[in-house]
Amino acid sequence: MLLSFFQLSLAIRNVWPQRMKLKSFIVLYLLLLLAGMPVTLLSCIPYGLFGILVAVCIYGLVTCRDTASQNVCMGMIGCVLAIVADNFLTILLHMLIPLALINLPFVSFSVRLIHILLFYLITLLCGRLLKKLLLSGKGVFRLSQTWYLIDAALLLLITIYLFDNLIAGQNGSIGKMIYNNALHISGYLLVMLFLLLAMRRSYMEQIQTEAKQKALQDLQDYTRNLEAMYNGLRSFKHDYINILLSLSGYIEDCDMDGLNEYFKNKIFPTKNLISQGDYKLNQLSNIGVLEIKSLLSAKMIYAHESAIDVTIDIPDRVDHFPIDTVDLARILGIFLDNAIEAALEAEQPQIGLNIIQNKAGVAVTISNHFRDNGVMLHKLKQKGFSTKIGHQGIGLCNAQKIISSYDNVLHETTMQCGCFMQHMELTARKE
């Protein structure tokens, strides 16, 4: 039996998605030995084989979470491949070598050695072919959801085979049949639970990865805009020196009329060049959370470039927000997108962002001017309602769902005098 479990471990190793190290191989072998005790000690063949299958699935989920769905699938394929290859070689060797010779000690050892060598080569070749076909990362195989569906289908087929074909005859016992079917379904549901949990974890990791990629892109835009502002400042500094030199000529000639006309026509209009670039973007440096800083900078830059008067007030440094940064980024993204779209329709486009660190936590306020269409405030939070044509109206509803999942977030929305305001109090969580 030790050799049988070694061959099973070898087959799984040869089809495994990654290169399996010696330490991992030993852990897999010991795990299979432990799971196979019902087969070796209690002769519970179908239940023991199902336990081995469960052990392979759990091992695949735990060893490498990035490819958990592929590990489970290839592990089950390795189990099937081990059984098929072992039976094929046993039949082949018995056909080629007379039974009388096989029973001889020396010949028996040689045959067993040849059996293991051929088993290794067959599983290695099949493993490479399967990995080339299934792990190419093309088409539907690049999606983790596809792999989980394949896992569920394989698991269902194998368990049905184990409990329907390997269980001894029921002998007309209804109770035995119900017991076996209940055990069959319970085992399948148990492994399906592990798969569903792994799918949920994969989905959450995918959301976080996309959020980090978006944050990185926003940070690159933020950096690029700061470089443009710095270059503009250097250019103005150079022009400012030339302006002073041009003024000195009028002053030396005491030509006050010429100086007055030159100032009004040439110097005074340059104030617009300064005020257009001055929208307090530097205050975003007080945000110590990279994801939030990147999001806010991208939205504020877009609002400024859309000819909206932007005001940013972040007097103190904020290094921590007492809720998940991915959820906070989603909430702020929805609020700022709506604020920008509403401000663009107002007679005087204006948007404000205020973040204050206090003893209780962090207070965030987003305000914007809007065109009053007589819409009631409670309707804006309803799913499917939107004042914009072609929009699904799910943004504020989704934001409200995220906020309601936190007991430490107080949210208040107000509309008055043509100003729409979203205010959140993020209090520190209780340990």
Side-chain angles (χ1 to χ4, degrees):
M1 280 298 177
L2 295 177
L3 187 58
S4 298
F5 284 110
F6 176 77
Q7 289 186 184
L8 179 59
S9 304
L10 199 61
I12 295 174
R13 179 256 182 197
N14 288 338
V15 299
W16 202 249
Q18 303 88 24
R19 183 178 179 86
M20 186 179 292
K21 297 180 180 179
L22 179 60
K23 183 179 179 181
S24 301
F25 179 79
I26 295 174
V27 171
L28 174 62
Y29 178 61
L30 294 177
L31 181 63
L32 292 178
L33 280 178
L34 182 64
M37 283 185 179
V39 178
T40 56
L41 300 180
L42 304 177
S43 298
C44 299
I45 295 177
Y47 310 116
L49 292 178
F50 184 78
I52 293 173
L53 186 65
V54 172
V56 172
C57 292
I58 295 176
Y59 180 80
L61 292 173
V62 173
T63 50
C64 184
R65 294 177 180 178
D66 293 337
T67 58
S69 56
Q70 296 178 0
N71 296 342
V72 172
C73 179
M74 301 305 286
M76 288 190 289
I77 291 176
C79 293
V80 175
L81 179 62
I83 296 173
V84 173
D86 185 70
N87 290 334
F88 170 76
L89 290 173
T90 300
I91 295 173
L92 180 63
L93 291 175
H94 277 79
M95 290 175 59
L96 296 176
I97 303 174
L99 185 61
L101 291 177
I102 293 180
N103 292 330
L104 296 176
F106 178 75
V107 177
S108 177
F109 176 78
S110 301
V111 170
R112 197 59 183 168
L113 190 62
I114 294 173
H115 184 281
I116 295 175
L117 180 61
L118 292 177
F119 179 87
Y120 174 77
L121 294 176
I122 291 175
T123 54
L124 182 63
L125 178 61
C126 292
R128 290 184 178 180
L129 291 176
L130 289 170
K131 286 191 284 186
K132 188 174 182 180
L133 291 174
L134 301 178
L135 303 178
S136 60
K138 298 179 181 178
V140 294
F141 291 109
R142 62 184 178 85
L143 302 174
S144 59
Q145 290 81 358
T146 301
W147 284 98
Y148 283 117
L149 291 176
I150 297 175
D151 294 341
L154 278 175
L155 188 60
L156 178 61
L157 292 174
I158 296 174
T159 50
I160 288 176
Y161 174 78
L162 289 177
F163 286 92
D164 289 350
N165 294 336
L166 295 184
I167 288 181
Q170 307 301 327
N171 297 323
S173 173
I174 301 297
K176 182 74 172 179
M177 182 180 65
I178 294 175
Y179 170 76
N180 288 327
N181 288 335
L183 188 61
H184 171 196
I185 295 173
S186 299
Y188 179 69
L189 291 178
L190 178 63
V191 180
M192 280 298 297
L193 177 63
F194 281 106
L195 292 176
L196 289 175
L197 292 176
M199 287 182 66
R200 182 181 180 276
R201 184 180 183 85
S202 175
Y203 175 72
M204 296 302 298
E205 289 178 351
Q206 182 179 355
I207 291 179
Q208 292 179 356
T209 300
E210 292 176 354
K212 289 180 180 180
Q213 290 177 348
K214 182 64 168 58
L216 179 60
Q217 181 62 42
D218 292 341
L219 182 61
Q220 291 175 349
D221 296 338
Y222 172 64
T223 305
R224 186 162 49 250
N225 191 272
L226 285 181
E227 291 177 353
M229 292 177 60
Y230 176 72
N231 292 332
L233 180 63
R234 289 182 59 190
S235 176
F236 178 78
K237 181 179 179 180
H238 181 268
D239 295 340
Y240 178 71
I241 296 175
N242 293 332
I243 290 172
L244 292 179
L245 292 176
S246 64
L247 292 175
S248 63
Y250 290 99
I251 295 174
E252 290 177 358
D253 296 338
C254 297
D255 186 0
M256 293 298 105
D257 294 335
L259 178 61
N260 185 36
E261 182 179 357
Y262 180 74
F263 179 79
K264 290 182 179 179
N265 296 332
K266 302 294 183 180
I267 306 302
F268 188 72
T270 59
K271 71 179 183 65
N272 296 327
L273 298 176
I274 303 175
S275 60
Q276 287 179 358
D278 185 16
Y279 47 95
K280 301 181 181 180
L281 189 63
N282 62 316
Q283 290 210 28
L284 291 176
S285 61
N286 287 334
I287 302 296
V289 181
L290 177 61
E291 297 93 326
I292 305 304
K293 178 194 292 186
S294 304
L295 172 72
L296 296 178
S297 62
K299 299 299 181 183
M300 293 297 101
I301 291 171
Y302 174 75
H304 173 74
E305 292 176 347
S306 300
I308 298 176
D309 183 15
V310 176
T311 302
I312 301 176
D313 183 22
I314 311 176
D316 303 316
R317 183 167 181 82
V318 181
D319 291 318
H320 172 71
F321 292 91
I323 70 172
D324 184 74
T325 55
V326 174
D327 289 338
L328 180 59
R330 292 172 64 189
I331 296 170
L332 294 178
I334 293 171
F335 287 169
L336 289 171
D337 287 340
N338 289 342
I340 292 172
E341 292 178 0
L344 290 173
E345 297 178 356
E347 295 182 359
Q348 295 180 345
Q350 186 174 353
I351 184 173
L353 172 65
N354 177 257
I355 301 178
I356 297 178
Q357 177 83 57
N358 50 44
K359 294 182 179 180
V362 181
V364 181
T365 304
I366 299 173
S367 61
N368 64 275
H369 287 179
F370 71 100
R371 186 176 62 186
D372 193 353
N373 296 324
V375 179
M376 301 300 292
L377 179 60
H378 69 277
K379 289 186 176 181
L380 294 175
K381 298 182 180 180
Q382 296 177 357
K383 185 177 181 179
F385 180 83
S386 177
T387 59
K388 300 180 283 295
I389 299 175
H391 287 245
Q392 298 178 350
I394 60 176
L396 289 177
C397 180
N398 289 341
Q400 192 63 38
K401 286 183 178 179
I402 299 173
I403 293 173
S404 61
S405 65
Y406 290 90
D407 56 4
N408 64 324
V409 178
L410 177 64
H411 175 229
E412 183 182 11
T413 304
T414 57
M415 293 172 57
Q416 58 181 0
C417 301
C419 182
F420 188 88
M421 183 178 297
Q422 300 275 15
H423 179 76
M424 291 191 301
E425 290 284 346
L426 312 178
T427 59
R429 295 181 181 179
K430 297 181 179 180
E431 298 295 338

